[in-house]
Amino acid sequence: MVKPRPQIDQIAMYSPGKPVEELKREKGLTKIVKMASNENPFGYSPLAAEAIRTEMKEVPLYPEVTSPLLAEKLANKLAVSSDQVVFGNGSDEIIRLLTRTYINEGDEVVMAGVTFPRYKTNVIIEGGVPIEVEMEEGGVHDLEKMAEALNEKTKMVFVCNPNNPTGTIVHKERLKAFIEKVPSHVMLVMDEAYYEYADSPQYLETIPLLNQYKNMVILRTFSKVYGLAALRIGYGLMAAEMVNDLHKVKEPFNINRLAQAAASASLDDDEFLYESIRLNKEGRELLTNQFEAMNLSYFPTQTNFIMVDTGYPAKEVYEYLLNLGVIIRPGHLMGYPTMIRVTIGEQKDNQYFMDCLEAYLKEQQKDEKGVLKR
Ligand SMILES: Cc1ncc(COP(=O)(O)O)c(C=O)c1O
């Protein structure tokens, strides 16, 4: 057999949230509620839908290589310069491009102990060394410990803010102090995939810091609140020199025409954006109120998903919910064996999930004689 590079043996396949089609086939169910991949349950902008339809006639032609019109529009909206913007086939691709471009074998990359798994995978592929720093109680990055982990071998540090899978943010003042401590030879990657959902006054706006900290990269995406996950488009904001580096490494036609058109139109639709944020907040309130009424602890979330502690093995809860047609993410895969991560859905789906969870907990709490199991 032809052998892969040794790094490849160290990584596992990415395990996505179970697809709806697969569950329907497996269980013969008709009603499926997918609350596993933090997609937007409210769809996407009708302006984007229209733009996709219009762009369809251009499908035989390759797209523009650096999405210049979109870069210009986004840059204006975010008050950055258009040469500070790079697009990726999802922000996933930008993570890949950053490690591909900057990580040498043996370079250390610091990240939180429980965070988005693609950082670690991509670092390993390049022969880098992931340094995972234990989370604080409450699922928050321990920024002081992360700062202590930086040394002359460190090339990059990832801060996922808000963090996936815990949904938590790092508080403004702590983050500012951390940013100050990151040496200029270390790239600081702020992954803000859920930026639009964060409404805490404690959330730090990083774009105004971009020109001051030339080693900072900000990642955002059209996959979450904009609802364009299938089209695959995310972006990175960074010093123009780094954008040039990434442009040399990326595939020339990484952002297809439909994605460029849809992302551009989405930027014109604040109504869809704010309505998605509002509905998400409503769902967040329904879930957290009911968790509290049921005495279940959860991580305070600034995203469109929430991690809750059921007190029972996550795998079991996952299987139970799956049988009722609800797909969530079990926490044992992420270092929280009794927690589950649920994407905030449409209100009727949030309620259905809560009803199913309540039914599970009732079943667990009593055996046939009505005696508590644990
Ligand atoms: C924290 C974080 N970063 C990046 C991504 C990648 O998103 P995309 O590649 O769809 O832009 C995700 C997706 O779930 C995420 O949760």
Side-chain angles (χ1 to χ4, degrees):
M1 272 306 282
V2 181
K3 284 211 158 127
R5 291 162 48 228
Q7 289 84 359
I8 307 307
D9 288 332
Q10 294 173 46
I11 56 179
M13 278 283 280
Y14 180 70
S15 102
K18 205 175 195 41
V20 170
E21 297 82 356
E22 187 180 318
L23 185 62
K24 275 189 179 164
R25 272 198 311 273
E26 267 179 25
K27 311 261 181 205
L29 293 167
T30 46
K31 179 186 157 81
I32 305 284
V33 177
K34 187 179 179 210
M35 303 171 92
S37 301
N38 309 336
E39 295 143 332
N40 187 341
F42 308 108
Y44 63 108
S45 160
L47 299 188
E50 185 55 40
I52 292 168
R53 279 191 291 273
T54 308
E55 193 62 21
M56 292 268 268
K57 62 179 183 310
E58 307 298 341
V59 161
L61 306 177
Y62 284 112
E64 286 196 272
V65 166
T66 59
S67 313
L69 299 179
L70 181 59
E72 190 69 39
K73 189 166 179 178
L74 184 65
N76 283 337
K77 190 157 179 137
L78 299 177
V80 298
S81 163
S82 59
D83 60 5
Q84 291 178 301
V85 184
V86 62
F87 292 98
N89 196 258
S91 49
D92 270 344
E93 192 198 13
I94 306 186
I95 298 167
R96 160 81 40 101
L97 287 173
L98 290 171
T99 54
R100 189 81 275 238
T101 307
Y102 295 103
I103 300 300
N104 288 302
E105 204 159 331
D107 283 349
E108 292 188 0
V109 179
V110 174
M111 62 192 77
V114 182
T115 191
F116 190 53
R118 302 305 293 165
Y119 312 147
K120 184 174 173 180
T121 303
N122 281 298
V123 169
I124 291 174
I125 289 173
E126 300 305 333
V129 182
I131 307 290
E132 297 170 272
V133 177
E134 204 182 327
M135 308 293 280
E136 285 180 357
E137 285 282 307
V140 177
H141 282 49
D142 189 333
L143 288 182
E144 289 72 27
K145 284 226 181 76
M146 286 174 73
E148 283 165 26
L150 305 175
N151 59 46
E152 65 290 345
K153 286 186 273 174
T154 313
K155 190 64 177 280
M156 204 176 270
V157 52
F158 283 95
V159 175
C160 188
N161 193 40
N163 187 41
N164 181 6
T166 59
T168 53
I169 58 163
V170 280
H171 280 203
K172 230 185 207 165
E173 293 308 321
R174 276 181 88 188
L175 182 53
K176 275 198 227 159
F178 177 77
I179 293 171
E180 279 288 315
K181 284 188 223 157
V182 178
S184 57
H185 72 273
V186 175
M187 180 183 287
L188 167 60
V189 185
M190 298 294 313
D191 185 345
E192 301 181 351
Y194 301 93
Y195 165 83
E196 294 83 359
Y197 292 112
D199 57 4
S200 163
Q202 285 302 328
Y203 188 77
L204 181 69
E205 289 291 341
T206 47
I207 289 181
L209 304 176
L210 208 53
N211 289 334
Q212 186 182 350
Y213 298 96
K214 301 280 186 211
N215 56 339
M216 185 191 276
V217 169
I218 300 168
L219 303 183
R220 295 194 187 161
T221 183
F222 286 95
S223 297
K224 304 300 174 183
V225 76
Y226 291 102
L228 301 179
L231 291 181
R232 312 303 301 128
I233 175 161
Y235 58 94
L237 308 172
M238 63 199 80
E241 294 80 356
M242 293 202 277
V243 169
N244 279 338
D245 293 340
L246 297 195
H247 278 166
K248 289 188 216 160
V249 177
K250 82 174 187 73
E251 298 298 332
F253 307 114
N254 61 334
I255 312 298
N256 70 71
R257 280 184 173 272
L258 305 184
Q260 291 188 32
S264 176
S266 296
L267 292 177
D268 294 329
D269 196 346
D270 283 347
E271 197 182 321
F272 175 80
L273 175 74
Y274 292 122
E275 187 61 1
S276 292
I277 294 168
R278 187 185 71 75
L279 292 168
N280 181 68
K281 201 170 169 179
E282 232 173 64
R284 189 153 84 184
E285 274 161 21
L286 179 138
L287 293 175
T288 53
N289 287 341
Q290 297 199 23
F291 292 154
E292 275 166 35
M294 291 160 73
N295 263 327
L296 299 178
S297 61
Y298 59 89
F299 291 144
T301 183
Q302 283 287 293
T303 62
N304 65 341
F305 58 87
I306 185 160
M307 270 196 109
V308 58
D309 196 344
T310 69
Y312 292 92
K315 192 165 184 301
E316 216 178 280
V317 182
Y318 170 74
E319 296 289 348
Y320 183 94
L321 294 173
L322 212 53
N323 279 323
L324 296 173
V326 181
I327 315 173
I328 52 95
R329 286 285 242 180
H332 67 284
L333 303 174
M334 320 165 190
Y336 292 105
T338 60
M339 295 187 92
I340 55 173
R341 190 195 72 187
V342 54
T343 301
I344 298 166
E346 288 184 70
Q347 212 63 320
K348 65 174 177 18
D349 294 341
N350 295 328
Q351 195 52 60
Y352 181 62
F353 157 76
M354 283 308 309
D355 294 345
C356 296
L357 181 62
E358 208 168 351
Y360 170 81
L361 293 173
K362 282 215 176 95
E363 265 184 37
Q364 301 311 303
Q365 281 160 5
K366 289 189 205 139
D367 64 14
E368 295 101 61
K369 299 186 193 93
V371 178
L372 269 180
K373 259 190 185 171
R374 46 162 208 162

